[in-house]
Amino acid sequence: MITNQIYLIRAGVRSSLSTSRKIISQTASSHSSSRCFSSSCFRPAKREKVNPYTETLLLPKTKFPLRAEAAKREHMYLDRCTKELYPWQLENNPKSPFILHDGPPYANGNLHSGHALNRVLKDIVNRHKVMLGHKVIYRPGWDCHGLPIEMKALEEIRKKGTTTDLSPVEIRRLARKKALFEVERQKKDVMSWGVLGEWENPYMTLTKDYEIRQLQLFHDMIKKGYIYRQLKPVYWSPSSRSALAEAELEYNENHVSQSIHVGFPIKQLAPAIEKRWKDIVPTHQLQALIWTTTPWTIPSNKAISVHPQLSYSLVEVTRGNTPQFYIVGTDCLPALQDELNLSTEQWRCLDHAQGSELVDTEYIHPFYASTHPIIAGEHVTAESGTGLVHTAPGHGMDDYEVCIKMGIQPFSPLDDAGKYTKEAGPEFVGKDAFTEGNSKVISTLQEMKALVHQKAYVHKYPYDWRTKKPIMLRATAQWFANVETLQKEAVKALDSVRMIPAVAYKRLEQFTLSRKEWCISRQRAWGVPIPALYDVETGEALMTEASVQHIIQVFSERGTDAWWEEPKDNVFVAPEYQTNGKTYRRGYDTMDVWFDSGTSWTMLKDIPDRDPTKPVADVYLEGSDQHRGWFQSSLLTSIATTGKSPYSTLITHGFVLDEAGYKMSKSLGNVMLPTTITHGGKDKVKSPAYGTDVLRMWVASCEYTKDVSIGPTIIAQVSDMMRKIRTTARFMLGNLHDFHSSNSVPFHQLKEVDHYMLHELYQFNERISYAYDSFSYNRVVHDLQYFTTNTLSAFYFDVIKDRLYNEKADGESRRMAQTVLYEILNSYTTALAPLACLTAEEIYEDYRAMTPQPASSIFKKGWLYKDPQWSNSTLEAKWAVMKELKNHVNQVLEYARQDKILKSSQEAQVCVVIDQHTTSGQAIHAVETSELASFFLTAQVHLNDKEVKETSLEREITLKDGTVCKIHVERTKHHKCPRCWNYQASEADILCSRCTHVLSA
């Protein structure tokens, strides 16, 4: 009894399709601790009547709960499928090692949904490979150097009121402590997501072993001539006071600059044009008109560039009493007229010349009275500006390249903080280039009557991704890796890499080809030191193979901290340079963190049992931003030193957005942290604790190759999906409570519907395997959902309930259904395991005793079993006709209910009239009518070749192949069996023959 309420058990669950799909708990009329499995399995009855056959039914029994109760139960299964499983599979799995190399995230800050997407995707890949029998090697990593960690450490010091005027040694100590703290904090979170890996030995870029490997690779690149030092423009962040890599930039689409048109006075025209123009206008009245959005670079001007093939015009502009004479690109004149708001009468064109004729013209810098040339530049266009480009080789790569060919050296009178130095002139020194310096340049130009026009200009501009402040291109002496010589080889290597999605190839190719060099030096204390020595007198750098190898040897003994801690420079000078008459000092630049992480593949070189011809890693899997970052830096360092790609397969995922498609931010209040999903928020009603597997299933359900969404509604939907999965597993477990694999019925003895179900299972296993092999986990989820709802709940479970509940416990028909149910449960749990590992372990825990060789974990059972004899395309075609006919029968039954002919389908007697000489007719006539009745959920089914006498209701329908048939429905003359509730009894309140036989046995 349940709360003193008596229920009549309805075992013949065929009365209603809608109720028969509900698989809930089990009744407990004889076992008070169990629950009723289906709402269609019981009915409230009058208290004075008790069904005497209730206890004779074989209703589902299981301890597997409908609710996951994650907070109470997940911890019971976590260790067995993580800590215990990882070493087991390395020791016992028979296949070759599979290596998914972890791209190290920054050891900085809380983990967000993007981290969960990344780590869980990797875990799904690895768990699938474990179940296939591979020895999976997954060593989680962390990027521990660089500015973000250094800034966080210093920020904590500031909050405590401690001085930030710290030595590099103190900064490194604080940064190391901060990084290690963050690693432990992040590691704990990731492990709680059920991620399998070598958690006791993660790799960190701050360890001595890692740093020595990195420096050794750096040494190899020196040996091959890829490393050099040069004064040239690099991305420079005044707010960070360091050079940046391109991958460390983000772009502000709404940056506001002051755009200016400036007239540079001509001193001497080029010979090619002087004779023609000196008669038109005196040379000293001529001006070369330039346009720029970076007024602060005007003090650094060293040339003006023109395109040799463009047409240029000499124009007279009258604004006020005195005409001005400008050289302007001819194609730029209409835009210039609009920009300066000139009427037709205010300007006129006096002559034209080719850009090549202007080359070698000299002009005067308005600030310094210095003379500079007009030079040819292929980068010049007439798409914007004036066609004459203000050229500052210290602040632009195009400018640098065009000037260096002419012997014009870069000039950048700015310090590390972006303030003008004394080289800019006394009126500018000490002023911030972006702010007061910019204003001072404009006002000075105005005073000197060189400013022609000024206005605010909104455009896209690069920012430091950490400080969120604008950066500049600034010429400083930096260390570079020459990747221009590696580009073609790197792109060629990508041809042999499997890309998911395929479009990632083009993206990575474009980024690789567009990068000619890689600035690898940074001006920070927290990082791996660049092992460079400098001549004290000349400043010349010493970086030879012998010198670097000697420094590496010192680091091997004392660690990289010695670079800052050791008071004597000569400790780092190799013996062969000790007596050359020079004195050396250390440089204190550190390596770009992308070089740090980009060398992580070197840890994989020594793994045993790997094919040396293959890349060191089978898979790299990271976000799309890594096409500019880790994917590329790993590729370039590997090509430079080994000549091949470090990865065989490269998988790219998108970013995580909110449900409306917006980027998540604290200011918008749309951030959804993984911990909120797994453990719940402060308000457990609004933010319940869904548990780890809901988080994992969200990841699996995403089309991760694009940007994905997350939010309360989406997570609630995933939770509902997990509830349906648990319900389905619970039905199978409950109906296998008295089954063992040794009870299985041989395949050839099974009923046809069972054969067909095994065919469906074979197809399901094929689809699931293909989706996993394709890394298409959202397809796995889709197939699981479809299989759950349509194949199992709406079809097979309906068909077999009568056999499961009403036959003898060891009856052949019931054992047949259990045999198939057992195979389904195996496949269902296996398919689910890589996605929702804890739920799969819980399901397996409930049925492993019925398996021939129980294992301690579902992940030790191997992959999906696909018996070839299950596959039967002929049967598939036949049952396709059956399902189509059932849909039509259901419609006719619904008409009968509406016409009050029937109360439920179980009362119906159906007669199908169909020509057995047609293809569809042959298929239907070949099925036993008892199986058809079970399939249609009706009392009886008759098949006829010819028309039958008129019945209560009939409909003529046409099947897809054109076969016409008639469906007749009337109320059966049989009576309802009081035990199974099927209308098979010959008299009222009398058992049907089947139930009589079961009870007599």
Side-chain angles (χ1 to χ4, degrees):
M1 304 291 180
I2 302 178
T3 62
N4 299 321
Q5 173 68 55
I6 301 174
Y7 291 99
L8 286 177
I9 303 300
R10 182 175 186 175
V13 216
R14 305 192 298 186
S15 63
S16 163
L17 230 81
S18 60
T19 56
S20 66
R21 291 177 193 170
K22 296 177 183 176
I23 314 162
I24 329 172
S25 36
Q26 172 186 353
T27 191
S29 53
S30 59
H31 301 280
S32 60
S33 62
S34 41
R35 301 177 181 176
C36 181
F37 240 79
S38 172
S39 57
S40 60
C41 292
F42 55 81
R43 279 187 173 180
K46 294 180 180 179
R47 291 180 182 271
E48 64 273 13
K49 292 185 179 180
V50 176
N51 190 323
Y53 303 108
T54 296
E55 294 185 6
T56 70
L57 300 174
L58 298 170
L59 296 172
K61 297 177 184 177
T62 181
K63 295 178 181 178
F64 183 81
L66 182 61
R67 294 183 179 276
E69 295 182 304
K72 297 180 182 178
R73 303 182 61 80
E74 282 187 346
H75 69 92
M76 299 164 58
Y77 308 100
L78 185 61
D79 283 357
R80 77 169 63 168
C81 67
T82 53
K83 291 181 181 178
E84 296 169 14
L85 179 62
Y86 188 78
W88 179 92
Q89 57 91 26
L90 287 175
E91 186 176 338
N92 293 278
N93 272 1
K95 293 185 180 179
S96 59
F98 173 84
I99 302 173
L100 191 157
H101 185 42
D102 193 31
Y106 274 123
N108 185 31
N110 294 322
L111 297 183
H112 51 68
S113 299
H115 289 108
L117 176 69
N118 178 265
R119 294 286 194 174
V120 173
L121 279 174
K122 291 173 181 175
D123 193 59
I124 294 172
V125 175
N126 284 336
R127 288 185 179 278
H128 173 228
K129 296 299 180 180
V130 165
M131 299 184 84
L132 287 173
H134 289 280
K135 298 178 189 294
V136 167
I137 297 172
Y138 177 65
R139 191 179 175 195
W142 272 273
D143 198 344
C144 301
H145 289 137
L147 188 61
I149 296 161
E150 184 176 329
M151 289 178 68
K152 278 287 185 183
L154 294 176
E155 182 183 333
E156 290 183 4
I157 291 294
R158 280 196 296 271
K159 286 180 179 178
K160 294 177 181 178
T162 309
T163 177
T164 57
D165 187 16
L166 303 173
S167 70
V169 172
E170 291 171 311
I171 290 172
R172 288 175 64 83
R173 179 180 57 79
L174 289 171
R176 178 183 296 277
K177 182 180 178 182
K178 176 65 177 173
L180 291 173
F181 171 80
E182 294 292 349
V183 166
E184 288 304 312
R185 192 159 66 97
Q186 291 185 7
K187 184 167 73 171
K188 183 180 178 182
D189 282 348
V190 179
M191 290 175 69
S192 74
W193 303 338
V195 176
L196 186 70
E198 197 174 338
W199 293 106
E200 299 305 313
N201 184 34
Y203 80 85
M204 294 178 282
T205 60
L206 57 68
T207 62
K208 183 196 285 189
D209 173 71
Y210 190 98
E211 292 179 335
I212 295 302
R213 287 176 182 272
Q214 177 178 331
L215 286 162
Q216 199 60 59
L217 183 137
F218 184 77
H219 173 268
D220 293 344
M221 291 182 70
I222 292 171
K223 188 188 299 183
K224 295 188 176 185
Y226 290 121
I227 307 298
Y228 64 95
R229 187 171 186 258
Q230 195 165 345
L231 175 68
K232 63 195 308 184
V234 296
Y235 294 117
W236 184 270
S237 171
S239 53
S240 295
R241 299 195 180 198
S242 177
L244 300 180
E246 188 176 356
E248 296 171 299
L249 308 180
E250 60 184 22
Y251 287 85
N252 183 346
E253 301 281 349
N254 299 304
H255 180 81
V256 180
S257 295
Q258 292 299 315
S259 72
I260 57 173
H261 287 77
V262 180
F264 283 73
I266 298 298
K267 180 179 181 181
Q268 178 69 49
L269 284 167
I273 198 68
E274 183 181 18
K275 292 181 181 178
R276 197 162 81 237
W277 281 7
K278 70 177 182 180
D279 295 330
I280 300 175
V281 60
T283 300
H284 70 273
Q285 293 184 21
L286 273 175
Q287 297 181 67
L289 189 64
I290 64 94
W291 174 78
T292 182
T293 59
T294 54
W296 56 270
T297 62
I298 292 293
S300 304
N301 176 273
K302 291 294 179 182
I304 292 175
S305 300
V306 296
H307 196 291
Q309 305 304 318
L310 284 180
S311 171
Y312 290 84
S313 297
L314 172 60
V315 296
E316 180 183 356
V317 175
T318 303
R319 292 194 300 176
N321 299 324
T322 307
Q324 302 291 326
F325 299 93
Y326 301 120
I327 303 171
V328 182
T330 304
D331 293 339
C332 302
L333 285 173
L336 181 65
Q337 184 182 357
D338 291 340
E339 187 77 14
L340 301 184
N341 196 25
L342 298 174
S343 65
T344 306
E345 294 76 22
Q346 286 181 292
W347 74 281
R348 64 189 179 110
C349 183
L350 304 178
D351 197 13
H352 300 289
Q354 284 293 105
S356 56
E357 296 179 280
L358 295 174
V359 173
D360 294 334
T361 293
E362 293 181 343
Y363 66 92
I364 301 170
H365 194 294
F367 292 168
Y368 310 120
S370 54
T371 301
H372 303 288
I374 291 180
I375 60 177
E378 296 291 333
H379 64 289
V380 179
T381 71
E383 293 177 3
S384 61
T386 65
L388 291 91
V389 175
H390 148 58
T391 302
H395 295 291
M397 277 311 299
D398 286 334
D399 298 20
Y400 171 82
E401 288 175 0
V402 74
C403 283
I404 210 72
K405 293 175 184 175
M406 304 294 297
I408 303 171
Q409 294 302 311
F411 174 62
S412 176
L414 296 169
D415 64 16
D416 291 352
K419 295 182 178 181
Y420 286 115
T421 61
K422 61 182 180 180
E423 286 78 14
E427 64 269 47
F428 300 112
V429 67
K431 290 181 170 57
D432 180 82
F434 284 146
T435 54
E436 55 182 343
N438 218 36
S439 300
K440 183 61 178 176
V441 167
I442 293 171
S443 64
T444 304
L445 288 170
Q446 197 164 20
E447 290 168 10
M448 305 190 73
K449 302 190 182 327
L451 184 67
V452 177
H453 185 66
Q454 173 196 356
K455 78 169 189 178
Y457 181 72
V458 180
H459 64 130
K460 180 179 177 181
Y461 193 85
Y463 275 52
D464 183 328
W465 71 336
R466 299 183 186 96
T467 63
K468 311 300 180 186
K469 293 183 178 180
I471 62 99
M472 60 175 60
L473 278 162
R474 173 185 174 227
T476 60
Q478 300 287 344
W479 290 98
F480 295 88
N482 182 2
V483 298
E484 190 169 11
T485 56
L486 300 172
Q487 287 174 325
K488 291 182 180 178
E489 193 178 350
V491 169
K492 184 180 178 181
L494 293 178
D495 291 338
S496 60
V497 175
R498 181 184 180 187
M499 297 277 186
I500 298 171
V503 293
Y505 176 88
K506 273 292 177 191
R507 183 176 167 87
L508 183 53
E509 178 192 46
Q510 288 169 357
F511 279 128
T512 304
L513 289 176
S514 65
R515 188 177 197 172
K516 295 181 180 178
E517 59 191 13
W518 177 6
C519 178
I520 60 172
S521 51
R522 296 292 180 271
Q523 289 64 52
R524 306 305 301 182
W526 180 230
V528 177
I530 290 180
L533 301 173
Y534 299 91
D535 187 315
V536 171
E537 289 187 8
T538 66
E540 183 182 354
L542 173 66
M543 190 182 279
T544 62
E545 292 177 48
S547 176
V548 171
Q549 193 58 58
H550 173 76
I551 293 170
I552 292 174
Q553 183 59 43
V554 175
F555 289 158
S556 297
E557 297 168 2
R558 300 175 54 181
T560 55
D561 283 343
W563 193 251
W564 286 269
E565 293 172 346
E566 171 56 51
K568 297 178 181 178
D569 287 308
N570 65 355
V571 169
F572 300 99
V573 180
E576 49 263 66
Y577 301 108
Q578 294 271 7
T579 57
N580 65 358
K582 296 181 180 180
T583 303
Y584 294 99
R585 62 172 178 81
R586 282 160 284 181
Y588 291 104
D589 287 348
T590 53
M591 290 191 194
D592 174 21
V593 291
W594 293 109
F595 195 90
D596 286 14
S597 60
T599 62
S600 61
W601 58 266
T602 59
M603 298 184 305
L604 309 175
K605 294 191 298 181
D606 304 326
I607 291 176
D609 302 324
R610 287 287 290 179
D611 182 347
T613 63
K614 289 176 58 179
V616 291
D618 292 291
V619 171
Y620 270 39
L621 190 162
E622 300 298 333
S624 56
D625 55 332
Q626 297 308 317
H627 291 125
R628 290 199 309 165
W630 188 60
F631 289 158
Q632 189 183 145
S633 63
S634 298
L635 176 66
L636 293 172
T637 56
S638 182
I639 291 294
T641 54
T642 71
K644 62 184 180 184
S645 166
Y647 36 76
S648 295
T649 299
L650 190 145
I651 304 174
T652 306
H653 64 74
F655 292 96
V656 180
L657 310 174
D658 72 4
E659 290 176 322
Y662 293 107
K663 184 178 178 180
M664 285 189 274
S665 69
K666 290 181 180 179
S667 60
L668 293 176
N670 60 353
V671 174
M672 192 166 198
L673 295 174
T675 51
T676 304
I677 298 169
T678 56
H679 295 90
K682 292 181 180 178
D683 185 340
K684 290 295 190 288
V685 175
K686 290 183 178 180
S687 302
Y690 289 108
T692 295
D693 277 350
V694 168
L695 175 68
R696 292 178 64 96
M697 284 298 281
W698 163 72
V699 172
S701 65
C702 294
E703 171 49 282
Y704 66 81
T705 60
K706 303 173 183 176
D707 288 345
V708 302
S709 295
I710 194 171
T713 303
I714 291 171
I715 293 301
Q717 291 169 349
V718 174
S719 176
D720 187 57
M721 175 176 65
M722 284 300 297
R723 182 188 59 79
K724 291 176 182 176
I725 287 172
R726 291 186 69 89
T727 301
T728 303
R730 194 164 188 265
F731 174 86
M732 291 187 278
L733 292 169
N735 284 291
L736 290 170
H737 66 91
D738 60 346
F739 182 82
H740 188 272
S741 58
S742 59
N743 301 132
S744 295
V745 177
F747 177 78
H748 67 277
Q749 294 179 18
L750 299 176
K751 290 178 178 289
E752 183 172 303
V753 69
D754 299 327
H755 281 161
Y756 174 64
M757 185 59 235
L758 288 175
H759 170 78
E760 286 283 350
L761 183 61
Y762 184 90
Q763 296 297 318
F764 170 76
N765 290 347
E766 286 277 280
R767 291 192 303 272
I768 291 293
S769 294
Y770 179 79
Y772 270 111
D773 290 341
S774 304
F775 305 98
S776 300
Y777 306 122
N778 64 318
R779 287 298 319 170
V780 176
V781 173
H782 176 270
D783 284 336
L784 266 171
Q785 286 183 287
Y786 184 88
F787 190 68
T788 298
T789 304
N790 296 283
T791 308
L792 298 182
S793 294
F795 166 56
Y796 192 64
F797 289 174
D798 271 349
V799 171
I800 64 172
K801 280 177 186 174
D802 182 62
R803 284 196 270 166
L804 292 170
Y805 300 166
N806 299 315
E807 296 286 354
K808 288 194 302 181
D810 60 350
E812 186 178 35
S813 178
R814 184 167 182 270
R815 289 300 194 210
M816 290 178 188
Q818 286 182 312
T819 298
V820 176
L821 213 54
Y822 172 74
E823 296 294 351
I824 295 170
L825 181 59
N826 261 325
S827 291
Y828 195 78
T829 312
T830 301
L832 178 68
L835 313 182
C837 55
L838 302 178
T839 302
E841 287 286 17
E842 188 180 2
I843 295 169
Y844 180 66
E845 172 76 11
D846 205 82
Y847 83 88
R848 65 177 173 175
M850 69 181 73
T851 63
Q853 294 178 317
S856 60
S857 168
I858 183 67
F859 293 96
K860 300 177 182 180
K861 293 291 293 178
W863 190 234
L864 296 168
Y865 174 68
K866 294 177 284 187
D867 191 330
Q869 66 179 338
W870 294 354
S871 181
N872 190 328
S873 56
T874 303
L875 203 60
E876 181 179 18
K878 178 179 180 179
W879 277 82
V881 176
M882 296 273 287
K883 287 182 175 180
E884 183 185 359
L885 179 61
K886 180 178 180 177
N887 289 335
H888 290 294
V889 169
N890 285 342
Q891 290 176 14
V892 179
L893 290 171
E894 182 57 34
Y895 295 143
R897 276 191 286 267
Q898 291 174 6
D899 292 346
K900 309 299 183 184
I901 298 170
L902 307 170
K903 290 182 179 179
S904 73
S905 66
Q906 284 180 292
E907 299 175 316
Q909 177 174 285
V910 176
C911 180
V912 179
V913 180
I914 186 168
D915 186 353
Q916 63 180 320
H917 296 99
T918 63
T919 302
S920 294
Q922 280 183 327
I924 293 167
H925 277 277
V927 182
E928 292 182 13
T929 55
S930 60
E931 283 214 40
L932 284 174
S934 176
F935 183 47
F936 293 159
L937 306 179
T938 59
Q940 292 89 32
V941 172
H942 300 289
L943 295 174
N944 279 0
D945 230 1
K946 300 178 182 178
E947 189 56 76
V948 296
K949 66 177 183 177
E950 186 176 338
T951 54
S952 303
L953 185 65
E954 61 182 66
R955 289 287 187 274
E956 183 176 285
I957 58 101
T958 303
L959 300 176
K960 289 179 182 177
D961 66 353
T963 302
V964 177
C965 70
K966 283 189 176 180
I967 299 171
H968 297 259
V969 171
E970 60 184 350
R971 185 181 175 82
T972 181
K973 293 182 174 60
H974 289 78
H975 296 272
K976 181 178 178 181
C977 173
R979 178 176 180 269
C980 69
W981 288 19
N982 292 325
Y983 283 74
Q984 302 287 352
S986 57
E987 297 179 37
D989 299 323
I990 299 296
L991 294 176
C992 66
S993 58
R994 189 268 305 274
C995 287
T996 300
H997 174 72
V998 168
L999 293 185
S1000 66

